[in-house]
Amino acid sequence: MESIDQDGLPDSNSPNLHLTHPTPNECVFLTTVPLASNNGMTTWILVEKNLSQYQRPILCSCETFLKRSLMSDTDGKVEEVTIHGIASVFCPPEYRRRGYAARHMTELAKALYTWRSDQAKVVGSVLYSDIGKEFYAKLGWQPNSTNWHVQFPPMDIPRSSLTQELVEENLAELCKRDETIIRAAMATPTHRVRKMFTVLPDLDHMLWHIGKENFATEQLFGKIPPTKGAIAGQSGNQVWAIWTHRYYGHPDAESPNNVLYILRLVVEGDNSANKPRSTGESGLQTTEQEKQVDSLIAVLQCAQAEAAEWRLDHVKLWEPTPWVQDVITKSKINHCVIEREEDSVACGLWYGEKGGLGVPPVWINNEHYAWC
């Protein structure tokens, strides 16, 4: 017999609960932005299957995004795969502490194994936990081995003459160059790791963040930031950063904690990039290394100036490469390193060959562009 509590709600273990997609009457969302458009985003809800759409309460919900990704093995065989990025897991306050969120995620893990697998093999799903590491780990999403970032203060300083501002029209070509570099690095055989994985930092990811940025800044300031990053150096030895302005509160509010996130930082010729840190690669094998150090510092200082101009409280750079980290440490740039234990903790659930839980790959480029 069906177990119903005093509020008339089903037990979280009820066979009458199932995962489905909402009707147009049950959700309103923006699906025209990159990453979400062309069925890239899917909304999932946990409901009672024996109730009609007009009667059923939505017990828990989330969104998933298709993410183009790469997987490579020890021999350097690179395969294009699909990862589902999970976002906005939400259980209404009146339905919390009943096990619905856990049931929702358990059903989701099973459903995503074959969801949109016509495009490329689905190897897993990722999410960014803001409730620590334990809840999702119990359901199969294990925290990544590293979750840290470098944080810089905003600085009202002139922008270096070494740099040029990036606008939205510049990003497509840079993302293509970046993908070429990543593919080449992952195609290099390595016997230190069994599998490597990365979410590709493609244009859709950048424009998804920029779309959120444009909406927020238009509401707050009546204008949008024209600058989407900075670049320095000559082609083949360039350094560039693509960033986004993220507002968690009005700049006039007490402790708004707003952030300029560097979505992706690229240093051409950095041998420590796009590889596991366990390989021990570091340094640039180039006669232009000194110039690239200057370029990197100039690009980072541009980010600090941008943060000051747009009244942001911090600049955050997630998990820079060993070479970049070494330059930052040796430079005079004011910064601190922060380990994330409670918020934006990258977690992954990985499938085995037959759909069960598999062995986690080494996640490279755990940078903010992949956050959702």
Side-chain angles (χ1 to χ4, degrees):
M1 186 175 178
E2 175 72 17
S3 176
I4 303 292
D5 68 13
Q6 62 182 1
D7 296 321
L9 294 169
D11 187 275
S12 61
N13 294 315
S14 169
N16 286 328
L17 293 182
H18 77 145
L19 198 70
T20 189
H21 308 294
T23 66
N25 292 331
E26 290 176 309
C27 66
V28 177
F29 51 77
L30 181 63
T31 58
T32 59
V33 295
L35 212 64
S37 60
N38 299 318
N39 295 318
M41 186 180 84
T42 305
T43 303
W44 305 81
I45 56 175
L46 184 72
V47 295
E48 292 185 76
K49 60 186 175 183
N50 59 344
L51 296 180
S52 76
Q53 67 183 61
Y54 304 105
Q55 297 175 307
R56 61 191 190 186
I58 298 176
L59 305 173
C60 192
S61 64
C62 74
E63 301 158 358
T64 59
F65 294 86
L66 282 175
K67 291 178 173 287
R68 291 179 57 235
S69 304
L70 297 179
M71 191 85 83
S72 67
D73 60 17
T74 57
D75 297 322
K77 179 183 177 183
V78 180
E79 179 183 11
E80 189 152 338
V81 297
T82 289
I83 281 289
H84 294 293
I86 302 170
S88 306
V89 179
F90 180 73
C91 186
E94 63 269 29
Y95 301 145
R96 292 176 186 170
R97 302 188 182 278
R98 301 172 188 265
Y100 292 144
R103 175 67 182 274
H104 178 92
M105 298 303 292
T106 299
E107 297 295 332
L108 186 67
K110 293 183 285 188
L112 291 180
Y113 179 58
T114 56
W115 186 247
R116 303 294 300 276
S117 58
D118 56 310
Q119 298 191 11
K121 178 182 177 182
V122 178
V123 297
S125 58
V126 297
L127 57 82
Y128 295 83
S129 173
D130 287 330
I131 55 173
K133 300 177 179 180
E134 294 184 7
F135 177 78
Y136 290 109
K138 292 177 181 177
L139 300 171
W141 283 270
Q142 297 299 321
N144 191 45
S145 59
T146 57
N147 281 287
W148 60 278
H149 61 265
V150 181
Q151 184 167 293
F152 309 91
M155 291 187 66
D156 187 10
I157 54 176
R159 306 196 186 209
S160 172
S161 60
L162 296 176
T163 65
Q164 292 180 310
E165 294 181 348
L166 294 177
V167 296
E168 193 170 314
E169 289 72 24
N170 302 136
L171 303 186
E173 187 266 336
L174 291 175
C175 287
K176 288 180 180 178
R177 283 171 58 186
D178 192 8
E179 182 172 335
T180 299
I181 295 169
I182 291 171
R183 286 181 180 271
M186 292 187 70
T188 303
T190 175
H191 298 290
R192 292 179 180 267
V193 295
R194 190 181 69 87
K195 289 278 188 181
M196 288 192 298
F197 151 80
T198 192
V199 175
L200 283 170
D202 57 20
L203 182 63
D204 279 356
H205 276 88
M206 306 307 167
L207 295 183
W208 183 77
H209 286 279
I210 288 170
K212 294 165 72 74
E213 161 192 287
N214 289 348
F215 177 82
T217 53
E218 183 70 43
Q219 296 299 311
L220 287 171
F221 307 113
K223 60 181 180 178
I224 63 174
T227 304
K228 308 304 181 185
I231 190 168
Q234 299 299 312
S235 182
N237 293 289
Q238 286 183 311
V239 178
W240 70 82
I242 301 173
W243 58 55
T244 190
H245 307 67
R246 184 65 189 269
Y247 292 89
Y248 297 97
H250 194 283
D252 292 334
E254 185 177 352
S255 305
N257 204 31
N258 296 323
V259 180
L260 183 90
Y261 284 107
I262 296 178
L263 297 174
R264 176 69 172 155
L265 176 67
V266 177
V267 178
E268 290 186 306
D270 181 357
N271 291 323
S272 66
N274 308 306
K275 296 175 183 176
R277 290 179 175 267
S278 60
T279 60
E281 297 269 7
S282 64
L284 272 72
Q285 303 302 318
T286 170
T287 57
E288 300 294 310
Q289 180 172 185
E290 186 173 335
K291 291 182 180 178
Q292 280 176 290
V293 168
D294 293 338
S295 293
L296 173 60
I297 293 173
V299 165
L300 292 176
Q301 288 177 335
C302 273
Q304 292 179 285
E306 182 78 6
E309 180 181 346
W310 284 87
R311 301 179 65 190
L312 295 159
D313 302 286
H314 312 286
V315 175
K316 293 185 180 181
L317 170 62
W318 283 21
E319 304 200 12
T321 70
W323 184 83
V324 170
Q325 187 179 8
D326 185 58
V327 172
I328 292 171
T329 300
K330 292 177 180 178
S331 73
K332 297 180 180 180
I333 299 178
N334 184 13
H335 72 280
C336 61
V337 176
I338 297 175
E339 294 282 344
R340 298 191 305 279
E341 297 288 343
E342 297 295 330
D343 64 290
S344 294
V345 177
C347 304
L349 180 148
W350 308 99
Y351 296 120
E353 291 301 320
K354 297 182 179 179
L357 293 180
V359 178
V362 175
W363 186 344
I364 61 173
N365 301 333
N366 179 19
E367 298 179 48
H368 197 74
Y369 69 85
W371 176 93
C372 61

